[in-house]
Amino acid sequence: MLTVEHLTKRFGGLTAVDDVSFTVEEGDFLGIIGPNGAGKTTLFHLITGFLPTDAGEVWFKGKAITGKKAYQISRLGMTRTFQITKPFGQLDVMENVVVAALQQSPALREARERAEEVLRFVGLGAYLHHSVTHLPIGLKKKLELAKALATRPSLLFLDEVMGGLSPDEVRDLMDVLRKVQETGVTLVMIEHVLQAITELTQTLLVLHHGALLAHGATVDVIRDPEVVDAYLGEVEPDAVH
Ligand SMILES: Nc1ncnc2c1ncn2[C@@H]1O[C@H](COP(=O)(O)OP(=O)(O)O)[C@@H](O)[C@H]1O
Ligand SMILES: [Mg+2]
């Protein structure tokens, strides 16, 4: 489904993403972990067309997409959520998702139907006409997910969707992500909440100083002493449940 080869991004003297190569198989749920500043978000920006690469190639479903713009890549079926949610404050919950749905279906009626469908799917059915500015963080994250799903992705990138959520909200969102996977969407998730990584992902990739430190089955990678040293040792104890 996705092939990333030798992807590299420099910011001045800093190599934020350093010669990263990996593949994602259809139906996989891939986790990405690594300390703050490891280059995780930048890697997403490069793959999904939000930043130009300095070197390397990306293929999606066999097609070279390096250098394509984010909206072109989104139309091919690859989309992402943002670590910091920025909904349109003047629009209500439903309208925010309609804007996203219009990317795939320019017909307003269809876009509205799709928006309502995904909002019910993520559990925001009771908030269709609520103001987005007053939504609590847990629901804002669901709105972010609904916007991404409205574009009908076959490959979805999630950037710390669990960040700032309570344990109940984490469990709730994990259930939603399981349902997303069941609908046939391939998922790639950057996440610091280890419970979500261990329970949801089959494959795990660890970034450290922009480079790939480990990549393999989650159960194996999570026990790798090098990974524990570089990352897991730094995690607050209460996050490791
Ligand atoms: N637009 C930018 N300009 C300069 N430096 C950046 C930019 N974006 C990210 N960086 C730097 O690149 C490194 C990786 O950042 P990022 O990808 O956001 O890490 P992560 O998501 O793993 O926390 C950090 O050192 C960050 O400060
Ligand atoms: Mg980040």
Side-chain angles (χ1 to χ4, degrees), residues 154-198:
S154 47
L155 177 58
L156 174 59
F157 289 82
L158 305 166
D159 195 351
E160 295 196 33
V161 278
M162 308 278 177
L165 302 192
S166 72
D168 280 349
E169 289 170 329
V170 165
R171 271 188 292 275
D172 184 32
L173 194 50
M174 280 171 57
D175 286 340
V176 176
L177 293 183
R178 280 191 193 97
K179 281 203 308 179
V180 172
Q181 192 186 22
E182 279 163 18
T183 66
V185 179
T186 304
L187 290 138
V188 181
M189 174 174 81
I190 296 175
E191 196 48 73
H192 283 299
V193 177
L194 278 188
Q195 182 195 4
I197 291 288
T198 54

Side-chain angles (χ1 to χ4, degrees), residues 6-18:
H6 306 297
L7 216 51
T8 300
K9 181 70 183 180
R10 295 180 203 94
F11 295 117
L14 173 84
T15 306
V17 173
D18 190 1

Side-chain angles (χ1 to χ4, degrees), residues 194-205:
L194 278 188
Q195 182 195 4
I197 291 288
T198 54
E199 289 186 29
L200 292 177
T201 71
Q202 283 103 48
T203 323
L204 186 58
L205 187 157

Side-chain angles (χ1 to χ4, degrees), residues 57-238:
E57 300 283 340
V58 183
W59 284 271
F60 176 50
K61 294 180 184 163
K63 226 186 234 175
I65 57 162
T66 326
K68 284 197 192 298
K69 299 274 183 287
Y71 74 91
Q72 297 172 312
I73 293 175
S74 167
R75 281 189 194 144
L76 295 174
M78 185 204 288
T79 193
R80 51 90 56 90
T81 67
F82 285 90
Q83 189 170 350
I84 299 158
T85 64
K86 285 184 191 154
F88 298 112
Q90 313 89 314
L91 304 182
D92 68 18
V93 167
M94 170 89 169
E95 288 163 341
N96 265 274
V97 182
V98 169
V99 170
L102 282 169
Q103 286 218 16
Q104 281 297 342
S105 45
L108 185 59
R109 197 168 143 223
E110 251 177 67
R112 292 186 64 86
E113 280 169 9
R114 177 66 183 160
E116 196 167 332
E117 182 189 7
V118 290
L119 282 164
R120 293 196 193 289
F121 181 87
V122 302
L124 285 177
Y127 298 87
L128 299 185
H129 302 298
H130 279 232
S131 151
V132 294
T133 43
H134 299 116
L135 282 184
I137 176 79
L139 300 186
K140 275 203 175 112
K141 295 284 189 171
K142 283 187 167 182
L143 173 61
E144 183 72 11
L145 178 62
K147 281 163 63 183
L149 291 174
T151 68
R152 299 184 189 276
S154 47
L155 177 58
L156 174 59
F157 289 82
L158 305 166
D159 195 351
E160 295 196 33
V161 278
M162 308 278 177
L165 302 192
S166 72
D168 280 349
E169 289 170 329
V170 165
R171 271 188 292 275
D172 184 32
L173 194 50
M174 280 171 57
D175 286 340
V176 176
L177 293 183
R178 280 191 193 97
K179 281 203 308 179
V180 172
Q181 192 186 22
E182 279 163 18
T183 66
V185 179
T186 304
L187 290 138
V188 181
M189 174 174 81
I190 296 175
E191 196 48 73
H192 283 299
V193 177
L194 278 188
Q195 182 195 4
I197 291 288
T198 54
E199 289 186 29
L200 292 177
T201 71
Q202 283 103 48
T203 323
L204 186 58
L205 187 157
V206 186
L207 274 188
H208 192 52
H209 298 311
L212 216 152
L213 181 73
H215 183 203
T218 301
V219 282
D220 300 329
V221 173
I222 214 90
R223 289 182 175 79
D224 183 334
E226 230 187 317
V227 172
V228 173
D229 267 1
Y231 174 64
L232 298 177
E234 294 176 17
V235 175
E236 290 160 33
D238 64 351

